[in-house]
Amino acid sequence: MSVPSYTRGPQTTPLLAMTIGAAFDRAVERFTDREALVVRHQGLRYTWAQLAEEVDGCARGLLALGLKAGERVGIWSPNCAQWCITQFASAKVGAVLVNINPAYRLTELEYTLKQSGCRWLICADSFKTSNYHAMLHDLLPELHRCAVGALESDRLPELQGVISLGDTPADGMLSWEGLLDLAEQVSAEQLRQCGEQLQFDDPVNIQYTSGTTGFPKGATLSHYNILNNGFMVGESLKLSEHDRLVIPVPLYHCFGMVMGNLGCVTHGTTMIYPSAAFDPLETLRAAAQEKATGMYGVPTMFIAMLDHPERQSLNLSHLRTGIMAGSTCPIEVMKRVIDDLHLKEMQIAYGMTETSPVSTQTGPDDDIEHRVTRVGRTQPHLESKVVDEQNRIVARGQIGELCTRGYSVMLGYWNNPQATAEAIDDAGWMHTGDLAIMDEEGYLRIIGRNKDMIIRGGENVYPREIEEFFFTHPAVADVQVIGVPDDVYGEEIVAWVRLHEGHQADADELREYCKGRIAHFKTPRHFKFVDDFPMTVSGKVQKFRMREISVEELGASKSDLL
Ligand code: AMP
């Protein structure tokens, strides 16, 4: 008789039944004077006791602003100390932190702030090509006229104010120091009482992940969801207070704030941020100079570090463990990560934002073959199954859609019960949209996606969102977006465009149109202008056929498409 593709992870280590604030306080109590956080690009270092002072100060400041449990506070910034402080402070007051991708531009920013109903936004001033203050003044021209905290915007009626992380907050914004100064209005006892009211099943975080059906959806995660996921990831890596983890991945994503920050807080491990956004040399330097024992990244980050000319001059001998996730790891890369970066116990994790994120993980003892061809086995306390199109479990070795059930499954998509019901079925299974095979030993292999998401350099890109954006261009009559394989980014974005009759637009103009409106990583690399698309007889666009054509044309002559 065939064995069904169903497994349940071990249940030896109990789940943490506490809020994130309580877990943070526990770390402070246990590891008081050990190093908690190192932010190299800001020159900042905190012990757990020092970090607690900042976190509690920020939490009391947020309470002084009138922020109440369940209300949303957005953060729009690259990695920095204040991101981490805000994460724990907002959790302590019971607010729901809304992660906003720092590469987002106006359209996306407005959508996420409005959809989540943010009361306050905490934002950086500028970074690389992003001038956050200027963008905010475009979105909120009334900001500089309104008193701090008394914003009245027609576009974002629920937003009360903006807190700036920059040195010079623009008019109408509260500065970070100003927020911390407000702490004196609220006592430590009031903060403690506020924490006691919170439940670990309360929502604590919204992360926007683009759906296949239009605009991004806000995966709403509870304390229990993400605290336990960070904890179980750290358990698998055998993290302890003697470990120091380099976190070069973005904090706005689960990889940074859950697997990174919460993995560390639950084990007393030092969090090390090498730079505001990923930089291969700074990440390598952080590992060497901080004597780091662990490091995270998506495969493209490890490739960039391995290829860096200065790598060999750095002493990386303290490194032992880490996680590679986000997309499949080529075997050569894994071999070099083990040999050249000393990451002998490097593990592969698989999951998605909606499952907090990790659902399966390889173990420290898995051989290299298992680490590159599989994504590990079901994580503790979780269940995995692989189902066919009728939602029936398939036999081991057969392909189907991977589903996850357990503590890590999100509460739902924020204010979107229909999308939630499409993703989580009545029995509590999250349907991942990923195609997988479960082998005899219970290891899972990811085969592809049955949704048409593109993963470009670790960033998820949803064709539908880009298509809808291009429809706002007056010359565009129809557009279809696909991904094609790319040596550097894993996948690259190609847009097939049909223009309105009598209208003109070329690739440069469309690229220019994207600037400042959508995130740079969503801007198609290639454009192809067509009169029509390959269609089925029933009138459905054949994206697979478009992909074949683009792959062939790009391979043959890139200039045809550029
Ligand atoms: P996100 O919601 O940004 O975490 O993206 C989740 C998606 O990334 C999953 O549904 C998978 O398609 C993909 N993914 C995550 N981890 C892996 C992995 N280790 N191997 C292959 N694909 C992965």
Side-chain angles (χ1 to χ4, degrees), residues 209 253-254 324-329 348-354 357 375 432-434 446 448-449 451 453 455 458 460 462:
T209 116
H253 188 268
C254 274
M324 212 189 294
S327 57
T328 335
C329 172
I348 296 287
Y350 158 85
M352 67 196 310
T353 305
E354 289 89 335
V375 291
T432 65
D434 289 313
I446 300 297
R449 297 183 292 274
K451 51 196 178 191
M453 180 177 81
I455 302 184
N460 295 351
Y462 291 84

Side-chain angles (χ1 to χ4, degrees), residues 103-124:
Y104 270 10
R105 294 294 185 265
L106 281 186
T107 317
E108 298 136 328
L109 174 72
E110 181 175 0
Y111 178 80
T112 41
L113 287 175
K114 196 179 204 140
Q115 209 277 335
S116 60
C118 274
R119 279 247 176 263
W120 283 86
L121 171 68
I122 299 181
C123 83

Side-chain angles (χ1 to χ4, degrees), residues 274-293:
S275 45
F278 175 65
D279 179 307
L281 180 57
E282 289 309 324
T283 307
L284 288 166
R285 281 188 181 144
Q289 292 165 8
E290 299 293 337
K291 297 190 170 53
T293 58

Side-chain angles (χ1 to χ4, degrees), residues 439-456:
D439 70 14
E440 293 301 324
E441 299 166 298
Y443 284 89
L444 282 144
R445 185 192 295 241
I446 300 297
I447 303 300
R449 297 183 292 274
N450 69 2
K451 51 196 178 191
D452 62 354
M453 180 177 81
I454 302 165
I455 302 184
R456 182 189 174 279

